[in-house]
Amino acid sequence: MPLRSPMRPARSTALPTTLLLATALMTVGLTGCSSLTPFNTCEGTEARVKELSAQPILTSVPPGATVPKDLASVDAECVDDSGDAWLYAERTYAFPGSRQKVVDFYRTTAKAGGWRLQSDPADPDVADTVAGLCFTKGGDGDALMLTVQFTTARQLKIEYDYDAGPEFDSGSGFHVEVGSETDGAKTGCFD
């Protein structure tokens, strides 16, 4: 066994061991590799999805709006494919009038129902007839978000593989969606 030099003291392994453990724990915490998930899941959300489906705003439409063939029911579910789960209920409509009439209708109807219109601070100059509308309602625990987005027959084909009928030949199509965090946590349109 080699002799130690009297000038060089023996090294303690405490500091390297502590640094190694701290690095390992930090890596586990930052990468999400733990037994507890930081995200909400869809488990047990059936009742809340049903509540969203029953929101009256989903069936409040401008006069003349129609439900396209094969889209008569509310599309509602919980999606948890990218982090926190999101609940939504959506209806699609065809409308023979202008997009501005849709915007005016929902500004009035949503406001009367207690919804608050939110403006996109990043794009304040984009017209609502292009960007659509976004409203919020409720507080922490029962917060909801309402969006009105415009669509076309072509977009329906691309996004849903849906062949729109003649109701999309003139005017506009639009989606009305009510969404929520699984626990009703307050959420904003442009967070």
Side-chain angles (χ1 to χ4, degrees), residues 44-76:
T45 60
E46 296 80 11
R48 188 130 170 95
V49 170
K50 190 174 181 177
E51 279 179 40
L52 293 179
S53 298
Q55 289 292 314
I57 195 75
L58 290 172
T59 55
S60 296
V61 294
T66 59
V67 177
K69 64 180 173 104
D70 302 325
L71 295 177
S73 63
V74 173
D75 178 22

PDB file of all heavy atoms in Angstrom, residues 44-76:
ATOM      1  N   GLY A  44     -62.504  11.069 -13.177  1.00  0.00           N
ATOM      2  CA  GLY A  44     -63.575  11.608 -12.359  1.00  0.00           C
ATOM      3  C   GLY A  44     -64.184  12.917 -12.856  1.00  0.00           C
ATOM      4  O   GLY A  44     -64.813  13.635 -12.085  1.00  0.00           O
ATOM      5  N   THR A  45     -64.021  13.243 -14.137  1.00  0.00           N
ATOM      6  CA  THR A  45     -64.518  14.523 -14.656  1.00  0.00           C
ATOM      7  C   THR A  45     -65.847  14.412 -15.399  1.00  0.00           C
ATOM      8  O   THR A  45     -66.328  15.400 -15.955  1.00  0.00           O
ATOM      9  CB  THR A  45     -63.482  15.154 -15.610  1.00  0.00           C
ATOM     10  OG1 THR A  45     -63.257  14.261 -16.704  1.00  0.00           O
ATOM     11  CG2 THR A  45     -62.180  15.453 -14.902  1.00  0.00           C
ATOM     12  N   GLU A  46     -66.455  13.239 -15.397  1.00  0.00           N
ATOM     13  CA  GLU A  46     -67.667  13.020 -16.182  1.00  0.00           C
ATOM     14  C   GLU A  46     -68.783  14.004 -15.836  1.00  0.00           C
ATOM     15  O   GLU A  46     -69.449  14.549 -16.726  1.00  0.00           O
ATOM     16  CB  GLU A  46     -68.167  11.577 -16.014  1.00  0.00           C
ATOM     17  CG  GLU A  46     -67.222  10.516 -16.542  1.00  0.00           C
ATOM     18  CD  GLU A  46     -66.069  10.180 -15.592  1.00  0.00           C
ATOM     19  OE1 GLU A  46     -66.079  10.607 -14.403  1.00  0.00           O
ATOM     20  OE2 GLU A  46     -65.129   9.493 -16.036  1.00  0.00           O
ATOM     21  N   ALA A  47     -69.003  14.258 -14.560  1.00  0.00           N
ATOM     22  CA  ALA A  47     -70.083  15.164 -14.144  1.00  0.00           C
ATOM     23  C   ALA A  47     -69.806  16.589 -14.618  1.00  0.00           C
ATOM     24  O   ALA A  47     -70.714  17.288 -15.076  1.00  0.00           O
ATOM     25  CB  ALA A  47     -70.248  15.137 -12.630  1.00  0.00           C
ATOM     26  N   ARG A  48     -68.558  17.010 -14.545  1.00  0.00           N
ATOM     27  CA  ARG A  48     -68.213  18.378 -14.987  1.00  0.00           C
ATOM     28  C   ARG A  48     -68.370  18.510 -16.502  1.00  0.00           C
ATOM     29  O   ARG A  48     -68.831  19.541 -16.987  1.00  0.00           O
ATOM     30  CB  ARG A  48     -66.792  18.724 -14.549  1.00  0.00           C
ATOM     31  CG  ARG A  48     -66.444  20.175 -14.794  1.00  0.00           C
ATOM     32  CD  ARG A  48     -65.851  20.821 -13.567  1.00  0.00           C
ATOM     33  NE  ARG A  48     -65.313  22.131 -13.871  1.00  0.00           N
ATOM     34  CZ  ARG A  48     -65.996  23.261 -13.704  1.00  0.00           C
ATOM     35  NH1 ARG A  48     -67.220  23.225 -13.236  1.00  0.00           N
ATOM     36  NH2 ARG A  48     -65.441  24.412 -13.987  1.00  0.00           N
ATOM     37  N   VAL A  49     -68.010  17.483 -17.253  1.00  0.00           N
ATOM     38  CA  VAL A  49     -68.210  17.510 -18.711  1.00  0.00           C
ATOM     39  C   VAL A  49     -69.699  17.610 -19.023  1.00  0.00           C
ATOM     40  O   VAL A  49     -70.107  18.366 -19.910  1.00  0.00           O
ATOM     41  CB  VAL A  49     -67.579  16.270 -19.386  1.00  0.00           C
ATOM     42  CG1 VAL A  49     -67.994  16.164 -20.844  1.00  0.00           C
ATOM     43  CG2 VAL A  49     -66.061  16.300 -19.273  1.00  0.00           C
ATOM     44  N   LYS A  50     -70.514  16.889 -18.272  1.00  0.00           N
ATOM     45  CA  LYS A  50     -71.969  16.945 -18.467  1.00  0.00           C
ATOM     46  C   LYS A  50     -72.493  18.355 -18.183  1.00  0.00           C
ATOM     47  O   LYS A  50     -73.360  18.861 -18.894  1.00  0.00           O
ATOM     48  CB  LYS A  50     -72.651  15.909 -17.568  1.00  0.00           C
ATOM     49  CG  LYS A  50     -74.098  15.716 -17.871  1.00  0.00           C
ATOM     50  CD  LYS A  50     -74.676  14.572 -17.053  1.00  0.00           C
ATOM     51  CE  LYS A  50     -76.141  14.390 -17.402  1.00  0.00           C
ATOM     52  NZ  LYS A  50     -76.734  13.265 -16.704  1.00  0.00           N
ATOM     53  N   GLU A  51     -71.971  19.007 -17.134  1.00  0.00           N
ATOM     54  CA  GLU A  51     -72.346  20.387 -16.815  1.00  0.00           C
ATOM     55  C   GLU A  51     -72.017  21.324 -17.980  1.00  0.00           C
ATOM     56  O   GLU A  51     -72.812  22.189 -18.330  1.00  0.00           O
ATOM     57  CB  GLU A  51     -71.578  20.889 -15.586  1.00  0.00           C
ATOM     58  CG  GLU A  51     -72.111  20.478 -14.262  1.00  0.00           C
ATOM     59  CD  GLU A  51     -71.234  21.022 -13.138  1.00  0.00           C
ATOM     60  OE1 GLU A  51     -70.761  22.186 -13.223  1.00  0.00           O
ATOM     61  OE2 GLU A  51     -71.006  20.274 -12.175  1.00  0.00           O
ATOM     62  N   LEU A  52     -70.832  21.154 -18.539  1.00  0.00           N
ATOM     63  CA  LEU A  52     -70.433  22.003 -19.668  1.00  0.00           C
ATOM     64  C   LEU A  52     -71.371  21.807 -20.849  1.00  0.00           C
ATOM     65  O   LEU A  52     -71.756  22.773 -21.510  1.00  0.00           O
ATOM     66  CB  LEU A  52     -68.996  21.696 -20.101  1.00  0.00           C
ATOM     67  CG  LEU A  52     -67.890  22.060 -19.119  1.00  0.00           C
ATOM     68  CD1 LEU A  52     -66.531  21.664 -19.696  1.00  0.00           C
ATOM     69  CD2 LEU A  52     -67.909  23.528 -18.766  1.00  0.00           C
ATOM     70  N   SER A  53     -71.742  20.565 -21.112  1.00  0.00           N
ATOM     71  CA  SER A  53     -72.631  20.250 -22.230  1.00  0.00           C
ATOM     72  C   SER A  53     -73.991  20.922 -22.092  1.00  0.00           C
ATOM     73  O   SER A  53     -74.670  21.170 -23.088  1.00  0.00           O
ATOM     74  CB  SER A  53     -72.848  18.746 -22.340  1.00  0.00           C
ATOM     75  OG  SER A  53     -71.645  18.100 -22.604  1.00  0.00           O
ATOM     76  N   ALA A  54     -74.391  21.196 -20.864  1.00  0.00           N
ATOM     77  CA  ALA A  54     -75.707  21.780 -20.611  1.00  0.00           C
ATOM     78  C   ALA A  54     -75.691  23.307 -20.560  1.00  0.00           C
ATOM     79  O   ALA A  54     -76.733  23.919 -20.298  1.00  0.00           O
ATOM     80  CB  ALA A  54     -76.260  21.222 -19.304  1.00  0.00           C
ATOM     81  N   GLN A  55     -74.549  23.925 -20.803  1.00  0.00           N
ATOM     82  CA  GLN A  55     -74.481  25.392 -20.767  1.00  0.00           C
ATOM     83  C   GLN A  55     -75.423  25.976 -21.825  1.00  0.00           C
ATOM     84  O   GLN A  55     -75.316  25.643 -23.012  1.00  0.00           O
ATOM     85  CB  GLN A  55     -73.051  25.876 -21.013  1.00  0.00           C
ATOM     86  CG  GLN A  55     -72.100  25.617 -19.878  1.00  0.00           C
ATOM     87  CD  GLN A  55     -72.452  26.463 -18.663  1.00  0.00           C
ATOM     88  OE1 GLN A  55     -72.711  27.654 -18.749  1.00  0.00           O
ATOM     89  NE2 GLN A  55     -72.468  25.815 -17.511  1.00  0.00           N
ATOM     90  N   PRO A  56     -76.347  26.854 -21.432  1.00  0.00           N
ATOM     91  CA  PRO A  56     -77.330  27.410 -22.372  1.00  0.00           C
ATOM     92  C   PRO A  56     -76.706  28.162 -23.550  1.00  0.00           C
ATOM     93  O   PRO A  56     -77.292  28.191 -24.628  1.00  0.00           O
ATOM     94  CB  PRO A  56     -78.160  28.362 -21.504  1.00  0.00           C
ATOM     95  CG  PRO A  56     -77.877  28.001 -20.097  1.00  0.00           C
ATOM     96  CD  PRO A  56     -76.553  27.322 -20.066  1.00  0.00           C
ATOM     97  N   ILE A  57     -75.542  28.728 -23.374  1.00  0.00           N
ATOM     98  CA  ILE A  57     -74.911  29.501 -24.448  1.00  0.00           C
ATOM     99  C   ILE A  57     -74.598  28.623 -25.660  1.00  0.00           C
ATOM    100  O   ILE A  57     -74.517  29.112 -26.783  1.00  0.00           O
ATOM    101  CB  ILE A  57     -73.644  30.241 -23.937  1.00  0.00           C
ATOM    102  CG1 ILE A  57     -73.190  31.327 -24.914  1.00  0.00           C
ATOM    103  CG2 ILE A  57     -72.499  29.261 -23.670  1.00  0.00           C
ATOM    104  CD1 ILE A  57     -74.035  32.560 -24.903  1.00  0.00           C
ATOM    105  N   LEU A  58     -74.467  27.304 -25.443  1.00  0.00           N
ATOM    106  CA  LEU A  58     -74.156  26.406 -26.556  1.00  0.00           C
ATOM    107  C   LEU A  58     -75.310  26.287 -27.549  1.00  0.00           C
ATOM    108  O   LEU A  58     -75.092  25.935 -28.710  1.00  0.00           O
ATOM    109  CB  LEU A  58     -73.782  25.009 -26.045  1.00  0.00           C
ATOM    110  CG  LEU A  58     -72.445  24.907 -25.321  1.00  0.00           C
ATOM    111  CD1 LEU A  58     -72.283  23.528 -24.700  1.00  0.00           C
ATOM    112  CD2 LEU A  58     -71.291  25.211 -26.255  1.00  0.00           C
ATOM    113  N   THR A  59     -76.506  26.558 -27.088  1.00  0.00           N
ATOM    114  CA  THR A  59     -77.667  26.469 -27.985  1.00  0.00           C
ATOM    115  C   THR A  59     -78.284  27.835 -28.277  1.00  0.00           C
ATOM    116  O   THR A  59     -79.309  27.922 -28.939  1.00  0.00           O
ATOM    117  CB  THR A  59     -78.741  25.517 -27.413  1.00  0.00           C
ATOM    118  OG1 THR A  59     -79.088  25.949 -26.099  1.00  0.00           O
ATOM    119  CG2 THR A  59     -78.218  24.085 -27.380  1.00  0.00           C
ATOM    120  N   SER A  60     -77.666  28.889 -27.778  1.00  0.00           N
ATOM    121  CA  SER A  60     -78.117  30.250 -28.087  1.00  0.00           C
ATOM    122  C   SER A  60     -77.417  30.678 -29.368  1.00  0.00           C
ATOM    123  O   SER A  60     -76.193  30.816 -29.385  1.00  0.00           O
ATOM    124  CB  SER A  60     -77.736  31.206 -26.954  1.00  0.00           C
ATOM    125  OG  SER A  60     -78.393  30.848 -25.773  1.00  0.00           O
ATOM    126  N   VAL A  61     -78.188  30.856 -30.424  1.00  0.00           N
ATOM    127  CA  VAL A  61     -77.587  31.176 -31.723  1.00  0.00           C
ATOM    128  C   VAL A  61     -78.322  32.332 -32.394  1.00  0.00           C
ATOM    129  O   VAL A  61     -79.501  32.569 -32.116  1.00  0.00           O
ATOM    130  CB  VAL A  61     -77.586  29.952 -32.667  1.00  0.00           C
ATOM    131  CG1 VAL A  61     -76.689  28.861 -32.131  1.00  0.00           C
ATOM    132  CG2 VAL A  61     -78.988  29.431 -32.896  1.00  0.00           C
ATOM    133  N   PRO A  62     -77.640  33.017 -33.293  1.00  0.00           N
ATOM    134  CA  PRO A  62     -78.320  34.083 -34.030  1.00  0.00           C
ATOM    135  C   PRO A  62     -79.457  33.505 -34.871  1.00  0.00           C
ATOM    136  O   PRO A  62     -79.356  32.368 -35.346  1.00  0.00           O
ATOM    137  CB  PRO A  62     -77.231  34.653 -34.929  1.00  0.00           C
ATOM    138  CG  PRO A  62     -75.960  33.995 -34.573  1.00  0.00           C
ATOM    139  CD  PRO A  62     -76.253  32.852 -33.686  1.00  0.00           C
ATOM    140  N   PRO A  63     -80.548  34.258 -35.048  1.00  0.00           N
ATOM    141  CA  PRO A  63     -81.640  33.775 -35.900  1.00  0.00           C
ATOM    142  C   PRO A  63     -81.121  33.400 -37.285  1.00  0.00           C
ATOM    143  O   PRO A  63     -80.333  34.135 -37.888  1.00  0.00           O
ATOM    144  CB  PRO A  63     -82.586  34.976 -35.973  1.00  0.00           C
ATOM    145  CG  PRO A  63     -82.273  35.788 -34.753  1.00  0.00           C
ATOM    146  CD  PRO A  63     -80.807  35.584 -34.500  1.00  0.00           C
ATOM    147  N   GLY A  64     -81.511  32.218 -37.743  1.00  0.00           N
ATOM    148  CA  GLY A  64     -81.078  31.734 -39.048  1.00  0.00           C
ATOM    149  C   GLY A  64     -79.941  30.728 -38.978  1.00  0.00           C
ATOM    150  O   GLY A  64     -79.659  30.026 -39.948  1.00  0.00           O
ATOM    151  N   ALA A  65     -79.261  30.631 -37.829  1.00  0.00           N
ATOM    152  CA  ALA A  65     -78.169  29.660 -37.684  1.00  0.00           C
ATOM    153  C   ALA A  65     -78.753  28.251 -37.640  1.00  0.00           C
ATOM    154  O   ALA A  65     -79.810  28.022 -37.056  1.00  0.00           O
ATOM    155  CB  ALA A  65     -77.364  29.927 -36.424  1.00  0.00           C
ATOM    156  N   THR A  66     -78.063  27.310 -38.267  1.00  0.00           N
ATOM    157  CA  THR A  66     -78.528  25.921 -38.298  1.00  0.00           C
ATOM    158  C   THR A  66     -77.397  24.980 -37.903  1.00  0.00           C
ATOM    159  O   THR A  66     -76.219  25.309 -38.030  1.00  0.00           O
ATOM    160  CB  THR A  66     -79.025  25.528 -39.708  1.00  0.00           C
ATOM    161  OG1 THR A  66     -77.955  25.708 -40.642  1.00  0.00           O
ATOM    162  CG2 THR A  66     -80.220  26.364 -40.123  1.00  0.00           C
ATOM    163  N   VAL A  67     -77.797  23.826 -37.438  1.00  0.00           N
ATOM    164  CA  VAL A  67     -76.831  22.785 -37.102  1.00  0.00           C
ATOM    165  C   VAL A  67     -76.576  21.978 -38.372  1.00  0.00           C
ATOM    166  O   VAL A  67     -77.519  21.466 -38.977  1.00  0.00           O
ATOM    167  CB  VAL A  67     -77.379  21.868 -35.988  1.00  0.00           C
ATOM    168  CG1 VAL A  67     -76.406  20.739 -35.699  1.00  0.00           C
ATOM    169  CG2 VAL A  67     -77.654  22.669 -34.733  1.00  0.00           C
ATOM    170  N   PRO A  68     -75.324  21.853 -38.790  1.00  0.00           N
ATOM    171  CA  PRO A  68     -75.021  21.068 -39.989  1.00  0.00           C
ATOM    172  C   PRO A  68     -75.384  19.597 -39.807  1.00  0.00           C
ATOM    173  O   PRO A  68     -75.378  19.082 -38.688  1.00  0.00           O
ATOM    174  CB  PRO A  68     -73.518  21.227 -40.159  1.00  0.00           C
ATOM    175  CG  PRO A  68     -73.158  22.437 -39.376  1.00  0.00           C
ATOM    176  CD  PRO A  68     -74.130  22.488 -38.245  1.00  0.00           C
ATOM    177  N   LYS A  69     -75.668  18.951 -40.940  1.00  0.00           N
ATOM    178  CA  LYS A  69     -75.991  17.523 -40.890  1.00  0.00           C
ATOM    179  C   LYS A  69     -74.862  16.766 -40.192  1.00  0.00           C
ATOM    180  O   LYS A  69     -73.695  17.117 -40.299  1.00  0.00           O
ATOM    181  CB  LYS A  69     -76.215  16.977 -42.303  1.00  0.00           C
ATOM    182  CG  LYS A  69     -74.979  17.036 -43.190  1.00  0.00           C
ATOM    183  CD  LYS A  69     -75.245  16.478 -44.574  1.00  0.00           C
ATOM    184  CE  LYS A  69     -74.025  16.722 -45.437  1.00  0.00           C
ATOM    185  NZ  LYS A  69     -73.227  15.598 -45.671  1.00  0.00           N
ATOM    186  N   ASP A  70     -75.222  15.786 -39.447  1.00  0.00           N
ATOM    187  CA  ASP A  70     -74.292  14.912 -38.719  1.00  0.00           C
ATOM    188  C   ASP A  70     -73.527  15.606 -37.583  1.00  0.00           C
ATOM    189  O   ASP A  70     -72.626  15.020 -37.006  1.00  0.00           O
ATOM    190  CB  ASP A  70     -73.283  14.252 -39.672  1.00  0.00           C
ATOM    191  CG  ASP A  70     -73.957  13.434 -40.749  1.00  0.00           C
ATOM    192  OD1 ASP A  70     -75.000  12.821 -40.462  1.00  0.00           O
ATOM    193  OD2 ASP A  70     -73.443  13.410 -41.885  1.00  0.00           O
ATOM    194  N   LEU A  71     -73.855  16.859 -37.280  1.00  0.00           N
ATOM    195  CA  LEU A  71     -73.213  17.547 -36.153  1.00  0.00           C
ATOM    196  C   LEU A  71     -74.264  18.023 -35.154  1.00  0.00           C
ATOM    197  O   LEU A  71     -74.115  19.048 -34.507  1.00  0.00           O
ATOM    198  CB  LEU A  71     -72.382  18.738 -36.645  1.00  0.00           C
ATOM    199  CG  LEU A  71     -71.174  18.416 -37.514  1.00  0.00           C
ATOM    200  CD1 LEU A  71     -70.495  19.694 -37.986  1.00  0.00           C
ATOM    201  CD2 LEU A  71     -70.176  17.528 -36.785  1.00  0.00           C
ATOM    202  N   ALA A  72     -75.341  17.260 -35.033  1.00  0.00           N
ATOM    203  CA  ALA A  72     -76.475  17.682 -34.226  1.00  0.00           C
ATOM    204  C   ALA A  72     -76.220  17.646 -32.728  1.00  0.00           C
ATOM    205  O   ALA A  72     -76.842  18.368 -31.972  1.00  0.00           O
ATOM    206  CB  ALA A  72     -77.694  16.821 -34.559  1.00  0.00           C
ATOM    207  N   SER A  73     -75.307  16.819 -32.277  1.00  0.00           N
ATOM    208  CA  SER A  73     -75.085  16.717 -30.838  1.00  0.00           C
ATOM    209  C   SER A  73     -73.909  17.584 -30.399  1.00  0.00           C
ATOM    210  O   SER A  73     -73.081  18.002 -31.202  1.00  0.00           O
ATOM    211  CB  SER A  73     -74.830  15.265 -30.445  1.00  0.00           C
ATOM    212  OG  SER A  73     -73.657  14.807 -31.065  1.00  0.00           O
ATOM    213  N   VAL A  74     -73.875  17.825 -29.113  1.00  0.00           N
ATOM    214  CA  VAL A  74     -72.765  18.564 -28.521  1.00  0.00           C
ATOM    215  C   VAL A  74     -71.564  17.624 -28.467  1.00  0.00           C
ATOM    216  O   VAL A  74     -71.683  16.480 -28.029  1.00  0.00           O
ATOM    217  CB  VAL A  74     -73.126  19.041 -27.094  1.00  0.00           C
ATOM    218  CG1 VAL A  74     -71.928  19.661 -26.408  1.00  0.00           C
ATOM    219  CG2 VAL A  74     -74.291  20.010 -27.131  1.00  0.00           C
ATOM    220  N   ASP A  75     -70.420  18.095 -28.924  1.00  0.00           N
ATOM    221  CA  ASP A  75     -69.176  17.342 -28.818  1.00  0.00           C
ATOM    222  C   ASP A  75     -68.550  17.732 -27.484  1.00  0.00           C
ATOM    223  O   ASP A  75     -68.184  18.889 -27.299  1.00  0.00           O
ATOM    224  CB  ASP A  75     -68.254  17.693 -29.989  1.00  0.00           C
ATOM    225  CG  ASP A  75     -66.915  16.989 -29.925  1.00  0.00           C
ATOM    226  OD1 ASP A  75     -66.808  15.943 -29.254  1.00  0.00           O
ATOM    227  OD2 ASP A  75     -65.950  17.494 -30.540  1.00  0.00           O
ATOM    228  N   ALA A  76     -68.482  16.802 -26.543  1.00  0.00           N
ATOM    229  CA  ALA A  76     -67.969  17.124 -25.210  1.00  0.00           C
ATOM    230  C   ALA A  76     -67.071  16.010 -24.711  1.00  0.00           C
ATOM    231  O   ALA A  76     -67.386  14.834 -24.861  1.00  0.00           O
ATOM    232  CB  ALA A  76     -69.131  17.333 -24.252  1.00  0.00           C
TER     233      ALA A  76
END
